[in-house]
Amino acid sequence: MSLPIESRLPAIQAALAHHSRAMLVAEPGAGKTTRVPLSLLEAPWAREGRLLLLEPRRVAARLAAGFMADQFGERVGETVGYRMRGESRVGPRTRLEVVTQGVLTRMLQEDPLLEGVAGILFDEFHERSLEGDLGLALALDAQSVRDDLRLLVMSATLDVEALLGVLGEATPVIDCPGRSFPVATRHRALNARDDTAAQQARALLDAMAAQHGDALVILPGVAEIRRLARELAGRAPELEVMELHGRLPLEAQRRALRPDPEGRRRVVLATAIAESSVTVDGVRLVMDAGLERVPVFQPRSGLTRLETRRVNRASADQRRGRAGRQGPGLCLRLWAEEQPLVPHGEPEIRQADLAPLAFELARWGITDPVGLAWVTPPPEAPLAAGRDLLRRLGLLDERHQLTERGRAAARWPTHPRLAAMLERSHELDALPLACALVALLEERGGDEERDLERALQARLREPRAHRQWRHDAERLARIAGVPLAAASLAPLGALLAVAYPERIAQRLDEPGRFRLASGGLATLPESHPLAHTELLVAAELSGEASGARIYRAVALGVERLESLYPECSEWRPRLEWSDEQGRLVGEQVRGMGAVVLARRPLERLPAEAVREALLEALRRRGLPRDEALTQLRGRLALLRRTLGEEWPDASEEALLASLAGWLGPHLDGITRLDAVARLPLARLLLDTLDWPLRARLDALAPERLAVPSGAHHRVDYAPCLEDQPPVLAVKLQECFGWEASPRVADGRAAVLLHLLSPARRPLQVTADLASFWAGGYAEVRREMRGRYPKLAHDSTVDTQVPNIRPLTECSRPRMASSRAISGGRHPAS
């Protein structure tokens, strides 16, 4: 069957024959994932090396490799193979490897020149995974010393301008239309008070009665898939209901993509893996729940929370297109038609735990991420939080370089936390147990058994019943050079304390309430067996730092804690803000972070400890309310958004993360938070700006704007902190003489005008003054004439407005016009 991409293959081959980099923007259904790699295998530059095809998901990687191997009439592992963490099917004749993105990072770290690799194809790059962004940055760095290495970035939707900024303006861009049939779209909002699965089942069966063919249902997670599967089994047993998600074996995944051999209608219940990369054969109906589940990291708490939220518009359109791959189709969206959707998803690098990224940068020898070319640079606050964790784990030093333990930990293909645990487990004579534990903690999709000890015992007792766990644990044991065997679970708490030092927790006065070493609060149900434990370590937490829920935890003894962290035996001054007393309270303590094993009175308050206690109180409570600071932050936010990242991040999160730098030096002699609030915070922050930026600030984001009446009015930049435009509240008659809205930020941002009556009551809000003069002004003028009769006899009201007839036949001289404002001009006389 001919696919649209085939007409573009000569252009792709020519582009990579003459350039080392290229971009392919191919719409869904074009056939790029499988046809492009195969067509490049015989290119002269590729004949002496292998090609790597990067896929963001394991399911897509396996299926793509299987399909391409079929084109050669071979099994996977011959000409075409795949490689992912813990699973590899490649051989000596393999020339095309489909790899997941983390595998590319490891390959680059182990061989920065990628000897034997002729080209790398980044598929579905629009998903903007953290590992995909890092892989491209490292590949571009490797290409700087290997100009024969080809890079092709492919996607259905790409931010071409942003990528050209990284790849180079001369990079060829090839466009390819997709192959799709018309898709009708219907909306059916669900009632939040009724059972969701029952409503979904009714909606699906109604839609299937109106549309022939198989159905694809896209849901946020496996739990939702299984609930709907049970509901459909009771309502429509004649349907073949199948699941499609990453936990399934390969054969089950492939079976879900093929029509039923007996001709029964199928319903395929899938997670977001069905959004791109794979085609489910026979689908003419897509039902989209409109939700996605994404991990969101919170740097201030150190917690990652799975967040279920509305899908973005680009993803919703991708899902809709699945209904039109093989014929006219129907897309049923389970939300109201007027429900707004954000245009695109956030790159993962802006919302993920950046400890793994910080570790990979240190392995690459980069101490400053500016040294690499990023489509989206890693944000400062989460990167700093990731580095802090790596230092606590003993993997990084103060210069962001790997320690001896960090270099040793690089051999483990796992999160740096767990790599640190594996490295230190020999101190506890518990390396086989550590391998078993890491495999359990990393089980894809998690485990319904929340009791870690019981879950681990079950696996060690019957390893054959837990095939994936056994495979992963034995792989780690091979790296460690030890046999995987049943062992005592006594060191379990110690192992977790090594991996999660900030999640060591001490019980407070009430059962089930714990203070984490990081300072946050966490809870267990009072009926939980660990609710009365004095010390525990939590391997799984969810929620906010002010009240996280503990899901998996193990008890920890005081002696064990002190042996793992000798600093727990040292007395140190501790000061913290007491809301009850309204002041700093000081004492000497032994312990770890906020976990206190012993305490005694403190005779005097050391200045450095006072400063750190104030800073910590501010980090917990947030920035003081300060109008001048809010306005400055808004100005900086606007300039960063419109002019680029040379302007500093002024978000509250970023400023709290950098408090020690811009506020700490000014806290000498201060012991109360109300005294901090009286400091000139805006000026202190302004003083941290580089002189060239400070010199441009007032010109690009002036605090006050001159209006045609000759007055100067304050601009409100607070809305810019929420990605809104700055606001100027001004009487309507003072704007006579402006043809268009004033603009700031070098003309790139219009000011939102709040037009007021003479009594300063709101009349109109507009960011397009020209359209207001041409349209809405006439109605406002009539209203003003009725409310303010004096204006009916004042020609100044209208002679200053272009193309508006005066209210009276009298005429007076124009009001003096002000000097020009960026982007605005005054009507000619």
Side-chain angles (χ1 to χ4, degrees), residues 2 24 59 99 108 123 132 139 142 229 243 417 624 627 630 641 645 702 823:
S2 177
L24 171 62
V59 172
V99 301
L108 280 160
D123 195 20
E243 299 183 8
R417 285 184 186 276
E627 179 61 20
T630 298
R641 186 169 71 245
E645 297 190 356

Side-chain angles (χ1 to χ4, degrees), residues 300 617-625 652 656 659:
R300 288 175 64 185
L618 287 169
R619 292 184 191 108
R620 283 202 312 273
R621 296 163 63 99
L623 294 172
R625 293 182 179 273
E652 180 162 10
L656 290 174
L659 272 178

Side-chain angles (χ1 to χ4, degrees), residues 396-473:
L396 278 195
D397 62 22
E398 294 299 324
R399 296 173 298 168
H400 312 320
Q401 296 177 341
L402 290 179
T403 61
E404 184 178 345
R405 182 185 296 162
R407 286 188 291 274
R411 63 181 172 141
W412 302 104
T414 186
H415 190 286
R417 285 184 186 276
L418 305 182
M421 177 210 292
L422 288 161
E423 278 303 305
R424 292 194 65 184
S425 61
H426 65 85
E427 302 172 16
L428 305 166
D429 194 23
L431 189 48
L433 178 63
C435 294
L437 176 58
V438 169
L440 172 61
L441 294 173
E442 288 204 323
E443 276 190 346
R444 285 180 294 281
D447 186 88
E448 293 181 2
E449 175 57 72
R450 292 292 187 179
D451 188 311
L452 269 178
E453 294 190 50
R454 194 156 53 197
L456 201 51
Q457 283 172 340
R459 283 155 179 76
L460 290 168
R461 186 170 54 249
E462 297 182 74
R464 294 181 183 277
H466 304 276
R467 188 176 63 174
Q468 185 61 54
W469 168 85
R470 180 187 175 194
H471 176 273
D472 293 342

